[in-house]
């Protein structure tokens, strides 16, 4: 049911996605597994869908419930935990709570750094989100540091020439242009 919900979400069939996610939630609850790894994944997917719809508070409730499960299971300081913290950070950005977003991103970054996973696509995603939050705060030099770190991770992994790499490079160029450094902006 969760996979069907994800498929509908990818097709922008929000109502069908929500129905399948709720069916999956009920199935997990009736089987006594709402606090399982699958339960955490489901709550995260529901939160993502709510966030896409602009329902920041509802999304945050789902994310925080998932975070609580990970904490109780001793699994917050894992890659999955870091990914969830980034989603919480994104919700905070959408709610213009940039300091809180940066706190979530930094916690996620430290988790990946401590587990030797920072040099990954998830690590690049964290760094670009750090850059975005700093840019929204007007801290362009800090934003550039985040974007450059993301660029370097993607380049080192041989995946800079992707859609995600293009977004990172575009953000980096915009940040350099905001500083008036047009040579770097065009590089």
């Amino acid at each position: 049911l969760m996979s069907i919900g994800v498929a509908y979400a990818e097709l922008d069939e929000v109502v069908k996605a929500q129905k399948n996610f709720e069916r999956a939630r009920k199935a997990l609850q009736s089987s006594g597994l709402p606090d399982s790894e699958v339960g955490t994944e489901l709550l995260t997917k529901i939160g993502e869908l709510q966030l896409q719809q602009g329902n920041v508070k509802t999304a945050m409730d789902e994310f925080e419930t998932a975070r609580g499960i990970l904490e109780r299971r001793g699994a917050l300081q894992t890659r999955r935990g870091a990914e969830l913290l980034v989603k919480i950070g994104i919700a905070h950005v959408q709610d213009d709570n940039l300091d809180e977003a940066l706190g979530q991103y930094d916690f996620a970054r430290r988790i990946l750094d401590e587990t030797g996973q920072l040099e990954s696509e998830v690590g690049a995603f964290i760094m670009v989100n750090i850059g975005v939050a700093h840019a929204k705060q007007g801290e362009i030099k800090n934003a550039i540091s985040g974007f450059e770190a993301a660029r370097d991770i993607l380049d080192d992994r041989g995946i800079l020439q992707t859609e995600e790499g293009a977004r990172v490079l575009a953000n980096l160029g915009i940040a350099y242009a905001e500083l008036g450094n047009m040579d770097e902006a065009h590089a």
Side-chain angles (χ1 to χ4, degrees), residues 143-159:
I144 288 172
S145 294
F147 298 143
E148 286 179 339
R151 178 203 57 206
D152 292 347
I153 291 169
L154 294 176
D155 194 33
D156 289 349
R157 297 190 52 79
I159 53 176

Side-chain angles (χ1 to χ4, degrees), residues 12-49:
D12 286 329
E13 296 279 347
V14 176
V15 173
K16 290 179 181 178
Q18 287 173 327
K19 284 182 181 179
N20 280 282
F21 285 151
E22 287 308 316
R23 287 180 187 147
R25 186 193 312 251
K26 287 178 184 173
L28 284 174
Q29 289 170 339
S30 67
S31 65
L33 297 172
D35 283 3
S36 66
E37 185 174 322
V38 173
T40 303
E41 185 178 348
L42 175 62
L43 291 168
T44 302
K45 295 295 183 192
I46 293 170
E48 289 173 345
L49 183 63

Side-chain angles (χ1 to χ4, degrees), residues 46-113:
I46 293 170
E48 289 173 345
L49 183 63
Q50 291 298 318
L51 200 56
Q52 289 170 359
Q53 300 305 304
N55 302 322
V56 177
K57 183 180 179 341
T58 305
M60 195 64 105
D61 291 344
E62 300 293 348
F63 292 149
E64 289 297 339
T65 302
R67 180 182 181 148
I69 292 169
L70 288 177
E71 286 174 339
R72 286 191 299 278
R73 294 173 56 94
L76 183 61
Q77 296 197 352
T78 64
R79 182 183 183 117
R80 181 178 297 268
E83 290 170 346
L84 177 61
L85 292 168
V86 172
K87 292 172 191 345
I88 292 170
I90 291 169
H92 282 298
V93 167
Q94 285 192 15
D95 211 23
D96 288 326
N97 191 349
L98 301 174
D99 288 334
E100 186 61 34
L102 284 166
Q104 297 298 319
Y105 297 149
D106 188 55
F107 187 16
R109 183 196 54 75
R110 283 182 307 189
I111 289 169
L112 289 188
D113 192 36

Side-chain angles (χ1 to χ4, degrees), residues 117-151:
Q117 300 176 62
L118 186 58
E119 300 296 318
S120 67
E121 289 180 63
V122 175
F125 187 63
I126 291 168
M127 298 311 298
V128 78
N129 278 288
I130 288 171
V132 167
H134 280 299
K136 285 183 177 269
Q137 286 183 320
E139 300 173 351
I140 304 304
K141 289 183 181 180
N142 289 336
I144 288 172
S145 294
F147 298 143
E148 286 179 339
R151 178 203 57 206

Side-chain angles (χ1 to χ4, degrees), residues 163-175:
E163 187 176 330
E164 184 59 31
R167 276 195 284 277
V168 169
L169 294 172
N171 281 323
L172 186 56
I174 291 166

